[in-house]
Every structure is written in C-alpha cells, then in structure tokens.
Amino acid sequence: MAKAFFRLQKFLRRAQFLLFFLTAAYLMAGSLLLLQRTRLVIQQGSRGTPSNQALPAPEEMSRVGIVEPRSLQSPGPRLLVHMDALQEPALDQQHSPHWLVSRNSELRQLRRRWFHRFTSDQEPLQTAGFKAMKHTAEHKGTYVGCFTHDSRERTLKGAVFYDLRKMTVTHCQEACAERAYSYAGLAYGAECYCGNSLPAAAAKPEECNIECKGEKGSVCGGVNRLSVYGVGYQRSGTKPRRTRNVIYRGCFRAPENLTDTFPASLIQPNLTVEMCSEFCSKKEFPLAVIRGQECYCGYPTRRFPLREGTDGLRCSGAHNASRAPGGQDCLVYQTPVQDTRCTDRKFLTTKSKVFVALSSFPGAGNTWARHLIEHATGYYTGSYYFDGALYNKGFKGEKDHWRSRRTICVKTHESGKTEIEMFDSAILLIRNPYKSLMAEFNRKYAGHLGYATDRNWKSKEWPDFVNSYASWWASHVLEWLKYGKRLLVVHYEELKQSLIPKLKEMVEFLNVTVTEDRLLCVENNRDGNFKRSGAKQKNFEPFTQEMKDLINRYILTVDEALRGRNFSGLPREYVPR
C-alpha cells in the first residue's frame, strides 16, 4: 500500500512540474506573438490611414473587449406589420450592398488602428516652443505668445472646437477670423479657442510645448497653456467680410430701458448693419440691436427673449439701418460671436444613479438633441459608440466609456431586448422616417454635415437601403415601447417647432434644474455646428411609390403602438404622400 502511494506521489510531482513547464512555455509564446503583432501594427501605421477614419480614444484600452454594436452588424429585424413576430435576416456578404457589408468592417477598423494612432500622438516635444517661433512666419497673423489657460474661466470666451488629428495654427486662425474674432489660441495640440481679449497671465515660452496634431514643427499650446496668434487679416492689412455670418433675426418690440437690458451701446450717424455688427463682435456679444442711429449689444434675456417678433411692416427697410424705426421697434441681428453663457460643460462629479439612454433611429437628430441637452444642463452626454468626428465637435463624452455613468445620458441606436433593459430610463427620439432615411443616407456618403451626390441616390444601393432601414425604423420604436422601463417620447418635429417647452420636458426628465437664461442661450445657439452645408436639391424626391407604400405601413404600425402605450400618436405630417 505504501509503495503504491509512493508511486502516486511521484507521478503527481512529475505532473506538477510538467504543468509548470507547459504554462511557462505558453506564456513565452504568447509574449512573442504579442510583440510580433505590435510591431506589425506599428509598421502598418507608418504607411498612413484614410483621413476620414474615426479614432477611438485611449480609454478604449481599458475595455476587456469591444462588443460590436448590434446596429452595425445587421440592418435591423424584418418587421411584420401588425404582428409581434420579428425575424432576423441572414447577412449574405456576397450579395449585400456595399454599405451593408461595410457596417461590419467599420468597428473592426477602429479597433485595428487605434494603437498606432495613440502611440504617435504621445510623442514628446521638448523644443516645440522654440520651433514655433521659427515657423510663425509661415502662418497667417502674428504670434503673440504663450499664456496660461483655465478651461473653466476662459479668457478667450468665443468659439471653441477640437481636432485630434488635423489641428494646425492656420486652421484655428481661419476659423476664428471667420467668426470675426481677433485672436486664436491653441492648447493641448488639438484645441482651438477664439476671442477678442488677450489672456491676462503670460507664461514661459517653453511651457507651450505640445506639437500641433496636424502640423509637425508648430506648437499648439501645452497643458493649461495657450499659444495665442492674431488672425490672418491683421497681417495682410485687409479686414474680412464680417457681415457674411450675420443673421437677421427679425423685427421685435424694444424693451422699455435699452441701456439696462444691453451692456454695450453705440450712437453713430448713418449707422449701418456692418458697423453695429462689427462693434458688437469686438465686444463679444451675440446680438446686435439697431434702433434708428442707436446700436446695442447683448444677449437674449427674459426682458428680451426673441420668441415673438412684431409685424415686419413695422420695421420697414429691415435690412437698411438708416431707415430703421426710432420708436418702440428694433432690428435684431445675430453676430458671428458665440453665446458663451451655456458653452461650459463638464462630467458629472458623482456617478449617476439612474442610467438614461438617448435612443433614436440613425438620422433622427440624436446629435442635435445631445447638443441641446449638453448646453441646457452643462453636462456631457455619452455614447454607446465612439465617433472621432463628434469628439472634434466638442462632444467629449464620446471618449468616455458608455457605462461610466459620468455623463447625463448615453446615445444609442440599439433596439435589442438586452440592450434596452440595461437602461433605467430613456428619452426616445422619433423623426419622420422619410427624413430619417435621407439623413442617414447623406451621413453614410457625405458625413454628418454633407449631402450625398446624385450618383449615390440613383445607385442600386438606395433602394436596398430603404428596404432594410425602413423596417429598422419601425422595429426600433416598437422594441423600446415593449422593453423600455421608463420612457419620454419626443418627436423631432415638435422639438424644432417648440424648442424651449420640449427641452424643458427633457431636462426635467433628466432631473436637472436649469435657469431661464441658459435656456435662452440654447435657443440662441440652437443649431450649433450641425447644419448640413453644400448644395441641397429643391423638391428632390428619391422615393418611389413602392417605397412610399412600404414606409406608410410602418408609420401606421408605429402610430398604433404609441397610442396603445398611452403616448400621443405620430404627427400627421409623417404621411404626407
């Protein structure tokens, strides 16, 4: 018995040694493979990547694995009208259109390319502050110097934007000049700030030591440091056409005491719109108000909310300041200057106890709704996805993990039972499917702010897109109505028509209290940077009668489901055809 026990003990010792040896060999092989793959990624990174590729944030490293969003894997379940059964379509890549196959590859490309982009962005720049002095002659305008920068109490209080990959000094200068600012300041290598007053506290030149992301050898500030430049027209001696971004807001009843309502004023014989707008722009005010030969600058306030204009006939010659009335009515113009009362945003200081989704079908105005919510509440919104282009537009919540609960709500286009039930509540944003389909098709071929070409619309991919995405529009709403725990349904069209009342509902749903002045600021900045640019065809009709019949059936189904849950039905204009 003892002999048998001794043999068993000897065998176990050998097995233990063998297991240890195999484990060590496995770890060594894995390490070698990891080093080899890392070297391959870096080599591929040196060859360059497409300029329009979105860049995942470094925080993505902390994820154990990135789950591919359901909305990028399939175009959504096939919807059987007036039936509860939903069938998932099979994805045949050999016969699927280009846009459908590319949905699977988008996220994989993001994961493959984040590593070498991140490493290249972290290269130190010890002498960038001195190099910038040598390269200022190549830029428009004059290099002023290095200054301290406080993101909460900014000196350059005008427009601000980001570009993690292509920021240059000239790019920032031109953007600030376009908005009629005198100075452009750059920080962290990728952030651009505009203003008309220089920062008070100067810093040492060597403290501005971060290279511009899109321009080697040039400095774009540092950590809490601004590299400040004058804009281009100061160097050339010519002034920009400041009136090109001045927007006529209408004829309004003047407040009783103009001097108490507006902080700055100017009285000038033969006053023109250009003169008043330029004066208010230099004072960094978003509104230029003209009454006779008097020019006033300020913000929309409770005394002057700009919600109800008077009859335009009362301001005859509305676009000619010399003919503007001197009585109870005044002309109002919006200058290129941004209303800065609601631009400050931050992450939640403590994790949110309620996990809220901002859910919509793609193309339903989710990005615009996030802009409104962020500026109204002062808190960042998050995203189930990572979109580098949106991060560059100021949505810093894009780089935050969507489960962090540091954002006030999380953007999602998902519609599966599991994806819906993970949220405690949701704002469900619904838009006319005709408009949503066109907006999403434009985004796929021309980005967030462009329009698809005639060639895109006339291709065979458009009917394939409609057939797949129209059912997804309906199933998205139906599944959120079925599985959502607590919903606030918001119609995009009603939000546009009654911005402040609807935005108040959304903010109250998020359990945040906002001031009336901040809501007025949001109304003044309602479009943000998200209006599509480029040529838009008038009376363009891309839908065939067969497409209309299909979409209209889905509209009736969703309308019936909403009423069944005691929500208001879809707006009547959803079936205009």
Side-chain angles (χ1 to χ4, degrees):
M1 183 69 180
K3 189 174 182 180
F5 179 79
F6 175 78
R7 288 180 177 177
L8 178 61
Q9 187 179 22
K10 187 176 181 180
F11 172 77
L12 291 175
R13 287 179 179 175
R14 290 180 178 177
Q16 186 177 13
F17 177 79
L18 181 62
L19 180 61
F20 174 79
F21 176 80
L22 291 176
T23 302
Y26 177 80
L27 293 175
M28 291 177 63
S31 300
L32 291 173
L33 180 60
L34 179 61
L35 290 173
Q36 183 179 7
R37 293 183 65 181
T38 302
R39 181 181 178 186
L40 178 60
V41 170
I42 295 176
Q43 288 177 349
Q44 291 177 347
S46 64
R47 299 172 188 171
T49 54
S51 60
N52 60 353
Q53 180 63 53
L55 174 63
E59 281 77 358
E60 298 291 291
M61 296 174 63
S62 61
R63 301 186 186 182
V64 177
I66 302 179
V67 180
E68 293 196 2
R70 186 169 179 265
S71 66
L72 294 179
Q73 294 177 357
S74 65
R78 297 287 183 187
L79 177 65
L80 302 181
V81 180
H82 298 292
M83 297 182 66
D84 293 333
L86 295 173
Q87 299 177 350
E88 287 287 340
L91 183 59
D92 184 358
Q93 293 191 358
Q94 294 181 355
H95 302 286
S96 298
H98 172 73
W99 61 265
L100 191 57
V101 177
S102 66
R103 295 167 86 187
N104 289 321
S105 64
E106 287 180 2
L107 202 61
R108 289 197 297 269
Q109 291 175 357
L110 293 178
R111 290 200 303 252
R112 272 201 304 269
R113 292 175 178 171
W114 76 267
F115 177 78
H116 67 267
R117 287 286 188 185
F118 173 65
T119 54
S120 64
D121 286 347
Q122 304 305 311
E123 294 178 2
L125 184 66
Q126 298 178 353
T127 60
F130 301 102
K131 287 183 179 179
M133 298 296 185
K134 299 178 181 179
H135 285 78
T136 51
E138 301 174 6
H139 306 308
K140 299 177 180 179
T142 306
Y143 178 69
V144 179
C146 184
F147 296 83
T148 59
H149 171 64
D150 186 345
S151 58
R152 294 182 179 180
E153 296 292 335
R154 293 189 288 121
T155 304
L156 299 181
K157 296 181 179 180
V160 53
F161 66 97
Y162 313 88
D163 197 328
L164 290 176
R165 296 167 57 191
K166 298 181 181 179
M167 180 61 74
T168 66
V169 174
T170 301
H171 182 32
C172 181
Q173 288 175 314
E174 290 177 346
C176 293
E178 178 77 12
R179 294 163 175 81
Y181 289 105
S182 301
Y183 298 102
L186 299 104
Y188 300 99
E191 300 182 1
C192 175
Y193 299 88
C194 307
N196 288 321
S197 300
L198 285 174
K204 297 179 181 179
E206 58 270 20
E207 292 179 3
C208 287
N209 55 8
I210 298 182
E211 191 175 45
C212 300
K213 298 298 183 182
E215 187 176 23
K216 292 184 177 180
S218 293
V219 66
C220 284
V223 178
N224 295 324
R225 294 294 181 268
L226 277 176
S227 296
V228 179
Y229 295 82
V231 298
Y233 67 87
Q234 288 183 339
R235 177 172 180 265
S236 61
T238 59
K239 294 185 177 181
R241 291 180 57 195
R242 293 175 183 259
T243 58
R244 59 183 168 182
N245 287 329
V246 176
I247 301 172
Y248 175 63
R249 296 293 300 270
C251 178
F252 294 87
R253 178 61 63 105
E256 292 184 1
N257 194 328
L258 287 172
T259 55
D260 289 343
T261 305
F262 301 111
S265 61
L266 170 70
I267 299 178
Q268 181 71 38
N270 300 319
L271 183 71
T272 65
V273 174
E274 292 81 2
M275 294 167 61
C276 185
S277 174
E278 184 171 351
F279 173 76
C280 293
S281 295
K282 287 183 177 180
K283 296 291 184 180
E284 296 187 345
F285 289 108
L287 292 184
V289 181
I290 299 175
R291 188 179 69 170
Q293 305 304 313
E294 304 167 353
C295 171
Y296 297 91
C297 311
Y299 304 97
T301 61
R302 296 181 185 181
R303 291 184 177 181
F304 198 61
L306 293 184
R307 290 181 184 171
E308 296 182 2
T310 61
D311 187 352
L313 295 177
R314 297 175 65 92
C315 293
S316 58
H319 295 282
N320 186 340
S322 63
R323 296 174 58 189
Q328 298 300 317
D329 301 300
C330 58
L331 301 167
V332 180
Y333 295 86
Q334 187 166 330
T335 72
V337 175
Q338 187 178 28
D339 191 337
T340 58
R341 295 175 300 168
C342 58
T343 54
D344 58 305
R345 289 163 290 170
K346 61 183 179 180
F347 289 101
L348 296 174
T349 53
T350 58
K351 290 187 177 181
S352 174
K353 296 180 180 179
V354 181
F355 197 27
V356 186
L358 177 61
S359 177
S360 73
F361 175 77
N366 200 302
T367 301
W368 179 56
R370 291 176 67 187
H371 160 76
L372 297 175
I373 291 172
E374 288 194 1
H375 284 71
T377 64
Y379 294 110
Y380 287 117
T381 59
S383 176
Y384 187 74
Y385 322 96
F386 177 85
D387 191 328
L390 291 181
Y391 182 86
N392 290 341
K393 290 290 185 181
F395 290 98
K396 287 193 173 182
E398 284 287 329
K399 73 174 183 179
D400 208 51
H401 193 283
W402 63 281
R403 281 186 179 273
S404 70
R405 292 180 180 256
R406 297 200 310 150
T407 54
I408 195 167
C409 61
V410 177
K411 164 190 173 178
T412 181
H413 299 313
E414 306 304 302
S415 56
K417 181 176 183 294
T418 302
E419 290 82 354
I420 294 174
E421 290 182 342
M422 68 176 66
F423 292 99
D424 301 317
S425 58
I427 297 174
L428 180 59
L429 183 63
I430 305 175
R431 186 183 184 185
N432 187 320
Y434 289 99
K435 301 293 185 181
S436 293
L437 291 170
M438 293 179 67
E440 178 62 7
F441 195 73
N442 279 323
R443 186 198 66 81
K444 283 188 170 292
Y445 284 98
H448 289 283
L449 303 178
Y451 290 98
T453 63
D454 289 341
R455 182 178 179 182
N456 299 137
W457 293 106
K458 294 177 181 178
S459 69
K460 63 179 182 179
E461 295 184 7
W462 167 240
D464 292 336
F465 179 89
V466 172
N467 289 333
S468 296
Y469 271 64
S471 63
W472 182 14
W473 174 86
S475 64
H476 180 272
V477 178
L478 295 179
E479 292 193 9
W480 276 94
L481 291 175
K482 184 176 181 180
Y483 300 116
K485 299 174 185 177
R486 176 173 170 261
L487 294 178
L488 173 66
V489 176
V490 177
H491 297 290
Y492 172 88
E493 291 76 14
E494 294 177 355
L495 182 61
K496 289 197 69 175
Q497 293 174 2
S498 304
L499 178 64
I500 297 300
K502 289 298 179 182
L503 185 56
K504 281 184 177 179
E505 289 183 23
M506 297 166 68
V507 170
E508 290 174 1
F509 185 82
L510 295 170
N511 197 28
V512 178
T513 303
V514 299
T515 63
E516 186 70 18
D517 284 345
R518 193 166 185 111
L519 289 173
L520 289 169
C521 171
V522 176
E523 186 176 41
N524 201 40
N525 291 333
R526 60 187 300 156
D527 291 328
N529 297 318
F530 306 105
K531 294 195 74 173
R532 294 188 182 274
S533 59
K536 181 180 180 181
Q537 292 182 334
K538 295 182 179 179
N539 302 321
F540 178 58
E541 180 55 79
F543 298 97
T544 64
Q545 189 58 48
E546 182 180 359
M547 295 178 187
K548 296 176 186 178
D549 294 338
L550 175 69
I551 296 171
N552 289 341
R553 288 198 299 270
Y554 291 142
I555 289 174
L556 295 175
T557 303
V558 170
D559 181 74
E560 181 179 341
L562 284 169
R563 297 179 186 278
R565 283 286 306 273
N566 296 322
F567 291 108
S568 60
L570 296 175
R572 293 184 178 180
E573 61 266 24
Y574 274 36
V575 191
R577 295 162 170 82

